[in-house]
Amino acid sequence: MSIKEAHFDTYETRPDEELSALARGGDRDAEEALVKRYTRLVRQLARPFYLAGGDSDDLIQEGMIGLMSAVREYDGTRSASFRTFAEICIRNRLYSAVRAAARDKHAPLNQSVPLEIPFFDSQGSLYGGMVGEDPQDLLIGREGAQDTLSVVRKQLSEFEAKILGYYLDGMTIREMAKAVSRSPKSVDNAVQRIRRKAARHLDSGGISKG
């Protein structure tokens, strides 16, 4: 193991708040360690915005921007944990990206289908929660999304339902393939089938436009 690798390994056991403080002070290794630790969370939060057309990598990229904002702006003197703040920053960025895409018919995110929109936990208010969000709008959106998810799941095979669960949990194609003992290609095909079924439900008017 090189000196740099050994140095980086020491960051893996440090608390989020300590890494964030180091990152704000210009420690790029600390920043890299914190981003690596929360990359799966970004995928997990982005995945419910199931794309009925477009590239899921666009949402992941937006989520990563939100994560970087959290790393650089987290205030350790506040009562919220870094994870809570990171979730808020990531979700705010995702919602902003989807709204912006909705105003641009040619943007790849304009057909995002929110299959499951979780509420911020009560701690979200510690950092202001969703900027500019009406709680009632969130409730309506969440109920519609849950209905969509319920309908889509009924159309899935047992294998596809399992893959959907792993996918929404933020697992990569390779991680899912290992979990189900199938090839990455087989898993990717299942993901594409799920996306098509979600898209058909959207096209049929299954999600309220209100």
Side-chain angles (χ1 to χ4, degrees):
M1 179 181 295
S2 68
I3 294 177
K4 180 175 178 56
E5 289 174 333
H7 174 67
F8 185 79
D9 284 345
T10 64
Y11 288 93
E12 294 186 354
T13 58
R14 295 192 183 188
D16 296 341
E17 291 72 20
E18 181 180 343
L19 290 177
S20 179
L22 290 171
R24 290 198 307 276
D27 190 328
R28 290 295 163 255
D29 286 340
E31 181 178 88
E32 182 180 347
L34 200 52
V35 168
K36 180 179 178 182
R37 184 177 296 176
Y38 278 92
T39 294
R40 180 165 178 171
L41 176 64
V42 170
R43 293 199 304 267
Q44 186 176 0
L45 296 179
R47 290 280 175 75
F49 292 93
Y50 225 86
L51 298 182
D55 188 348
S56 59
D57 287 344
D58 293 319
L59 278 173
I60 299 297
Q61 183 176 0
E62 293 294 337
M64 290 302 294
I65 293 174
L67 174 59
M68 290 303 300
S69 294
V71 171
R72 294 168 180 173
E73 298 173 12
Y74 176 70
D75 182 357
T77 65
R78 304 286 288 273
S79 54
S81 67
F82 174 80
R83 182 185 178 90
T84 295
F85 183 57
E87 288 187 13
I88 292 172
C89 289
I90 295 166
R91 284 183 172 137
N92 278 343
R93 184 73 189 193
L94 292 171
Y95 276 92
S96 295
V98 171
R99 284 200 192 88
R103 295 192 294 268
D104 181 359
K105 295 182 180 180
H106 301 293
L109 298 182
N110 72 321
Q111 295 187 55
S112 294
V113 185
L115 286 191
E116 189 174 46
I117 305 176
F119 284 124
F120 286 129
D121 54 33
S122 59
Q123 292 179 320
S125 61
L126 293 170
Y127 275 89
M130 290 284 292
V131 177
E133 273 296 348
D134 184 328
Q136 184 174 359
D137 289 341
L138 279 178
L139 176 61
I140 294 172
R142 182 173 183 267
E143 290 176 344
Q146 287 179 329
D147 288 343
T148 300
L149 186 59
S150 177
V151 170
V152 171
R153 275 186 169 140
K154 292 177 181 178
Q155 301 174 7
L156 304 180
S157 67
E158 182 178 350
F159 176 65
E160 289 169 346
K162 182 178 293 186
I163 292 300
L164 176 60
Y166 287 144
Y167 188 87
L168 292 176
D169 194 40
M171 294 176 69
T172 65
I173 293 294
R174 290 189 178 279
E175 288 172 339
M176 288 187 280
K178 183 176 181 180
V180 298
S181 300
R182 300 282 283 271
S183 70
K185 181 62 175 177
S186 175
V187 170
D188 184 62
N189 287 340
V191 170
Q192 299 310 316
R193 290 196 299 273
I194 295 168
R195 292 178 65 180
R196 287 195 292 271
K197 291 175 182 180
R200 284 199 296 270
H201 184 64
L202 175 65
D203 291 340
S204 68
I207 297 179
S208 173
K209 305 293 184 181

